[in-house]
Amino acid sequence: MITEQQNTTAMRHDWTVDEVQALFAKPMNDLLFEAQTVHRQHFDANSVQVSTLLSIKTGACPEDCAYCPQSARYDTKLEKEKLMEVEAVIEKAKAAKAAGSQRFCMGAAWRSPREKDMPYVEAMVKGVKELGLETCMTLGMLDADKASRLADAGLDYYNHNLDTSPDYYGEIITTRTYSDRLETLDNVRRAGMKVCSGGILGMGESHKDRAGLLVQLANLPQHPESVPINQLVRVAGTPLQDQEAMDPLDFVRCIAVARIMMPKSHVRLSAGREEMTDEMQAMCFFAGANSIFYGECLLTTPNPAANKDQALFARLGINRDHQVTAAPKELDELLAVKENPEAAFYDAVQS
């Protein structure tokens, strides 16, 4: 283990794009060795944090994010849904905990939550916290007041991704600015919550853009506690539906560089795992990824079934002490199926 003084020295917030591009250019074996060395200095190398993500309000988002099937601007055949009942959310959180999840994340397709939404989402946070789970939400942009209210309700993490580099951002999103995103992260941090922020790879960005995204994240005043690295899921009907697939080894490199730059952050292997081989995921874990989303529905896109993840963990010797009290397949079924849709959603909130 390195000393506390060395730990402090390693936590940098002054990275340059040129420095990060030099990391990307290292021979793969050297890069992975460095990333794994950093990883072991701060984490158990055979432990992966497990979260479950539930869409609590689906579709009809006014934003134009080019990758997103929930945008009202694209015809993706996605059925829009209103905000879920608090009780229905709590039941799914119970299933997630029984299947071994440690954190329950709730996502709503909003530009930002409206005032009349807030009592419901605050109640969800309180109810999930009472189960003993960590809580996370992603609800779009937050002003200081709403961030403070969520913190007071007990929200542990707030997710708000930067998505890509400042230079490439305008090619992906035009309905909110990069500074809007940074302002939300600042409001979250000032309210006392932990920050979950990362990006999406494979959207046609350059290698320099990938370096630029990681520079933005690592140069925040405090590193995000959670850094989700997503691989683009190409959804029919979105502007990126025909985007060329990313080289798997380039993705692994991004995981390794993120680990080196943000040594104490949980680096989450996030969207796009359904298209990854077990071997690619194993390389990502070796490169420093130590968090995943669990359950076969990730908001509105496919994710590996929880049983499949359990089997992969067993093959890799990961999470041997992980506590599972119910079959993971039950989590998949509860996340994917709504037996009585009308009873599960509020009529009082925005569509």
Side-chain angles (χ1 to χ4, degrees):
M1 298 291 288
I2 57 179
T3 67
E4 185 60 33
Q5 182 178 3
Q6 288 173 310
N7 270 340
T8 303
T9 303
M11 299 293 287
R12 290 183 52 188
H13 302 270
D14 60 351
W15 291 91
T16 68
V17 171
D18 287 343
E19 283 181 296
V20 179
Q21 286 188 291
L23 279 178
F24 273 104
K26 283 190 171 190
M28 182 64 111
N29 285 345
D30 293 345
L31 179 63
L32 292 181
F33 181 79
E34 181 175 352
Q36 176 65 194
T37 300
V38 170
H39 186 61
R40 287 174 179 268
Q41 290 168 351
H42 301 282
F43 293 101
D44 179 346
N46 297 304
S47 178
V48 172
Q49 188 271 335
V50 176
S51 299
T52 292
L53 176 61
L54 174 70
S55 179
I56 60 173
K57 188 272 176 187
T58 302
C61 181
E63 305 279 19
D64 69 351
C65 307
Y67 54 81
C68 186
Q70 301 204 63
S71 172
R73 298 163 185 258
Y74 314 132
D75 182 13
T76 61
K77 312 302 181 186
L78 182 69
E79 184 177 348
K80 66 181 182 180
E81 297 168 349
K82 298 175 183 179
L83 187 65
M84 290 182 66
E85 290 275 5
V86 174
E87 294 79 6
V89 173
I90 302 306
E91 287 305 308
K92 293 182 186 294
K94 289 178 181 177
K97 182 178 181 179
S101 289
Q102 300 150 325
R103 185 180 305 160
F104 195 70
C105 306
M106 295 157 274
W110 288 321
R111 177 176 172 82
S112 61
R114 299 194 303 186
E115 179 57 36
K116 67 180 182 180
D117 305 319
M118 290 300 294
Y120 299 134
V121 296
E122 289 170 292
M124 291 174 190
V125 172
K126 292 175 182 177
V128 174
K129 285 281 286 186
E130 288 174 359
L131 299 177
L133 288 164
E134 288 186 319
T135 54
C136 179
M137 279 189 161
T138 177
L139 311 172
M141 294 185 291
L142 288 183
D143 60 24
D145 176 67
K146 289 187 174 66
S148 179
R149 288 175 61 178
L150 289 172
D152 289 344
L155 189 64
D156 297 302
Y157 289 81
Y158 193 81
N159 167 257
H160 199 66
N161 290 335
L162 295 181
D163 286 349
T164 189
S165 72
D167 291 339
Y168 194 64
Y169 184 82
E171 300 296 318
I172 303 299
I173 303 155
T174 67
T175 49
R176 72 173 82 168
T177 66
Y178 214 80
S179 60
D180 287 335
R181 291 181 180 265
L182 291 172
E183 182 179 354
T184 289
L185 294 183
D186 186 55
N187 288 335
V188 168
R189 187 64 81 186
R190 288 176 182 273
M193 290 181 287
K194 296 176 182 177
V195 168
C196 175
S197 187
I200 305 172
L201 307 178
M203 298 191 294
E205 74 282 350
S206 66
H207 291 285
K208 185 176 181 180
D209 289 316
R210 293 169 190 166
L213 167 66
L214 295 178
V215 164
Q216 288 291 315
L217 293 166
N219 286 356
L220 289 170
Q222 186 174 342
H223 292 167
E225 283 82 1
S226 181
V227 180
I229 305 294
N230 300 272
Q231 180 177 261
L232 175 68
V233 179
R234 294 162 291 177
V235 178
T238 64
L240 296 179
Q241 65 178 9
D242 297 320
Q243 181 62 47
E244 183 178 353
M246 185 177 179
D247 184 325
L249 294 182
D250 283 346
F251 187 90
V252 175
R253 283 183 180 275
C254 290
I255 295 289
V257 173
R259 169 51 65 218
I260 292 166
M261 294 174 68
M262 292 170 278
K264 294 185 179 181
S265 301
H266 276 83
V267 176
R268 177 177 294 133
L269 191 55
S270 197
R273 286 199 303 121
E274 179 70 9
E275 297 181 5
M276 298 179 188
T277 65
D278 288 352
E279 292 79 10
M280 179 181 173
Q281 292 188 70
M283 286 192 72
C284 288
F285 293 139
F286 186 78
N290 62 339
S291 179
I292 64 165
F293 278 125
Y294 194 50
E296 67 183 13
C297 185
L298 195 61
L299 291 181
T300 63
T301 56
N303 196 53
N307 278 342
K308 185 175 180 181
D309 284 332
Q310 285 285 339
L312 179 59
F313 286 163
R315 290 169 63 201
L316 298 178
I318 287 174
N319 288 358
R320 286 180 172 172
D321 297 327
H322 201 58
Q323 297 299 313
V324 178
T325 58
K329 69 178 181 179
E330 295 176 9
L331 172 62
D332 297 326
E333 292 167 356
L334 282 168
L335 287 179
V337 176
K338 301 179 180 70
E339 294 180 359
N340 185 356
E342 291 302 318
F345 300 92
Y346 284 110
D347 292 329
V349 293
Q350 72 185 75
S351 302

